[in-house]
Amino acid sequence: MDLQHWLARATHAIQDWADTFGTYEPHPSLLVDDERFAAAFTEFTGRLKDNYPFFHPHYAGQMLKPPHPAAVVGYLTAMLINPNNHALDGGPATARMEREAVARLAAMFGYDTHLGHLTTSGTIANLEALFVARELHPGRGVAYSADAHYTHGRMCHVLGVKGHPVRTDGQGRLDLQALEDLLRTGEVGTVVLTAGTTGLGVVDPVHEALALKERHGVRLHVDAAYGGFFTLLAGADGPEGLPPEPWRAIARCDSIVVDPHKHGLQPYGCGAVLFRDPEVGRHYLHDSPYTYFTSTELHLGEISLECSRAGAAAAALWLTFQLLPPTPDGLGRVLAAGRRAALDWAGLITASDVLELYQQPELDIVGYFPVVEPATLTGIDAASARILADGMASERPVFLSTLKAGREDFAARHPKITADADGARILRSVLMKPESEHHVEHLHTRVEEIARPR
Ligand SMILES: *Cc1c(COP(=O)(O)O)cnc(C)c1O
């Protein structure tokens, strides 16, 4: 998997194809000499060093990692043509690749019918799902858990519908009792269930929420932007296997969002929205005077709120899926490694006298905090912030992130800690690189060293 080799092949493949149309001279206005290019490039690569090493196993912070080489090669190769997946005129090949890749995502969740497309992000994908939900339940609001992604509230505002945050239980799951109380008011038309919260990877009880669909006539939307690919571990053997019930229930929900740019090995610019009922396409209908000429099929641009979208993003996902398909034996192995890493680290933290587990990880995110004396939220907050900073600044750096945990959430999990503030920052590590599983001991030892009171 030598990236240089494949990138060279990419430029040749596209050049050979381009040459079949006849060669021509580029316009002088576009020419830049190599010396100026070299100077700009040196400055450019120098500036890019102002970054965190997201690729490295010692980076165990936010939800960030570089794309797989297959995605890089797929993206860059298609980008040399630069198709626009808004319409078939914009790039028939990548539009087909998008359809195939989206069908694989729908099959991964067990949808037997679907309508869907890629989007620029999970936020836009959720916006589309909530837009369709609003069209189907005009005048009714949207409920989501207090730990759902912050953009649900924002997108409700954009759509002019009322957002209803619902409290979570002691493990961070949407509290179904509180939800049911809210649904009885009749004000809510759509419930968002999060399959893997962004903060701690908590999976809402999708299977238990299914009954609410009929009982209260609501739509169920699953936000699996981060967690969606973990469905590949549902019911799997071994420690990484996940309880299958919530994952199997997703197939019976009305819409799903998943971000291939999180756990699907893709570069940013790749979210996806899937609807179980293809009929919802009618809500997108519009008449464009310039985009739909070459075919009578429904175009991707006719079922998407966005206009221009990178065909290269579809190409990258398609090529990746040829090599690492969204199956338990394909991408599932990548996710399993991250999940094992989280479980292993949680085990080490449980046995530690300097660190404490905030709660048991459900997917690949570990939340933990330093043991402080006296045990107060203020003390934990300050110590977490110090460890974050010292970890990055150290000679042998480790990169972590912090998460703000609210006072009640803390009390539900750690009642002995004195709640002398609104909440406290805790440490958070997203172990989304499979390599993490071979570096857990190192990470743990370093964090313990940095955390140990001196
Ligand atoms: C990341 C995330 C989003 C937002 O997706 P973007 O691609 O960052 O716009 C929405 N919901 C959940 C659960 C997420 O993890």
Side-chain angles (χ1 to χ4, degrees):
M1 237 170 21
D2 174 1
L3 194 54
Q4 283 181 18
H5 164 82
W6 288 107
L7 289 178
R9 280 192 62 170
T11 47
H12 285 132
I14 301 302
Q15 193 60 55
D16 289 349
W17 172 73
D19 287 347
T20 65
F21 297 92
T23 55
Y24 60 94
E25 285 300 309
H27 191 270
S29 64
L30 296 172
L31 296 178
V32 288
D33 71 55
D34 275 332
E35 224 165 281
R36 279 180 57 221
F37 204 136
F41 191 75
T42 303
E43 183 187 351
F44 168 67
T45 50
R47 289 181 68 154
L48 282 180
K49 288 180 189 157
D50 179 17
N51 252 312
Y52 301 106
F54 308 127
F55 59 90
H56 199 282
H58 297 172
Y59 181 90
Q62 307 278 8
M63 211 171 270
L64 289 159
K65 67 174 178 183
H68 189 274
V72 174
V73 172
Y75 199 102
L76 292 175
T77 310
M79 196 189 69
L80 293 171
I81 303 171
N82 205 23
N84 184 338
N85 273 18
H86 173 60
L88 281 182
D89 307 43
T94 49
R96 267 177 210 116
M97 289 178 194
E98 176 165 343
R99 284 220 161 84
E100 290 172 32
V102 166
R104 292 193 97 148
L105 291 173
M108 175 178 82
F109 289 109
Y111 267 9
D112 39 26
T113 56
H114 76 277
L115 182 79
H117 57 275
L118 301 180
T119 59
T120 299
S121 68
T123 302
I124 297 297
N126 278 314
L127 172 68
E128 299 216 9
L130 295 185
F131 156 72
V132 166
R134 185 196 69 183
E135 297 303 287
L136 288 166
H137 287 309
R140 292 165 77 193
V142 176
Y144 40 82
S145 101
D147 286 353
H149 200 265
Y150 74 94
T151 51
H152 289 292
R154 176 186 286 180
M155 289 308 157
C156 282
H157 187 64
V158 169
L159 290 167
V161 304
K162 188 156 189 272
H164 301 264
V166 178
R167 75 160 183 262
T168 53
D169 66 14
Q171 285 162 306
R173 303 192 178 122
L174 180 98
D175 185 315
L176 288 180
Q177 199 53 57
L179 175 65
E180 184 122 44
D181 290 345
L182 171 66
L183 295 185
R184 270 195 281 271
T185 65
E187 280 180 42
V188 169
T190 303
V191 175
V192 176
L193 299 159
T194 304
T197 56
T198 318
L200 290 168
V202 174
V203 182
D204 281 342
V206 183
H207 52 303
E208 290 167 19
L210 282 179
L212 303 173
K213 237 171 107 72
E214 278 73 45
R215 207 178 305 152
H216 297 280
V218 289
R219 274 179 80 75
L220 295 180
H221 168 61
V222 178
D223 181 1
Y226 147 70
F229 286 98
F230 280 97
T231 193
L232 299 172
L233 303 184
D237 293 336
E240 66 268 22
L242 297 173
E245 297 80 8
W247 302 101
R248 301 267 146 81
I250 292 176
R252 294 169 61 198
C253 295
D254 299 292
S255 51
I256 309 171
V257 160
V258 60
D259 263 354
H261 69 203
K262 282 183 177 146
H263 263 303
L265 308 176
Q266 300 306 295
Y268 284 115
C270 194
V273 62
L274 307 164
F275 296 97
R276 194 174 56 162
D277 178 7
E279 279 290 299
V280 302
R282 71 182 187 278
H283 297 293
Y284 287 97
L285 284 186
H286 65 285
D287 192 15
S288 159
Y290 32 73
T291 43
Y292 309 123
F293 294 130
T294 47
S295 146
T296 52
E297 271 178 74
L298 197 63
H299 292 266
L300 288 162
E302 289 176 285
I303 52 159
S304 162
L305 289 183
E306 294 176 272
C307 182
S308 297
R309 288 180 307 111
L317 186 60
W318 185 89
L319 186 58
T320 305
F321 279 176
Q322 298 306 108
L323 301 160
L324 291 160
T327 57
D329 292 339
L331 259 179
R333 290 175 55 223
V334 180
L335 279 102
R339 168 99 184 104
R340 285 193 297 267
L343 290 174
D344 290 350
W345 199 356
L348 294 173
I349 293 169
T350 304
S352 166
D353 55 357
V354 265
L355 299 174
E356 190 162 348
L357 202 57
Y358 180 70
Q359 68 176 51
Q360 186 62 25
E362 281 189 51
L363 302 177
D364 63 0
I365 305 177
V366 191
Y368 50 102
F369 57 92
V371 174
V372 294
E373 228 5 278
T376 62
L377 291 184
T378 320
I380 290 169
D381 184 80
S384 297
R386 179 190 67 77
I387 294 164
L388 176 77
D390 287 358
M392 285 193 276
S394 111
E395 288 269 287
R396 288 183 298 135
V398 286
F399 300 86
L400 313 171
S401 70
T402 54
L403 175 79
K404 179 91 185 239
R407 175 198 191 105
E408 270 96 56
D409 296 330
F410 232 108
R413 294 160 179 81
H414 303 279
K416 291 201 185 116
I417 287 166
T418 308
D420 62 341
D422 278 355
R425 277 169 289 180
I426 61 167
L427 296 162
R428 166 176 171 268
S429 289
V430 183
L431 301 176
M432 69 191 311
K433 295 182 289 279
E435 292 83 3
S436 296
E437 82 167 319
H438 302 132
H439 294 264
V440 163
E441 286 199 23
H442 172 88
L443 287 167
H444 180 70
T445 308
R446 281 303 288 139
V447 177
E448 272 198 329
E449 283 165 5
I450 296 161
R452 210 175 286 284
R454 279 157 291 186

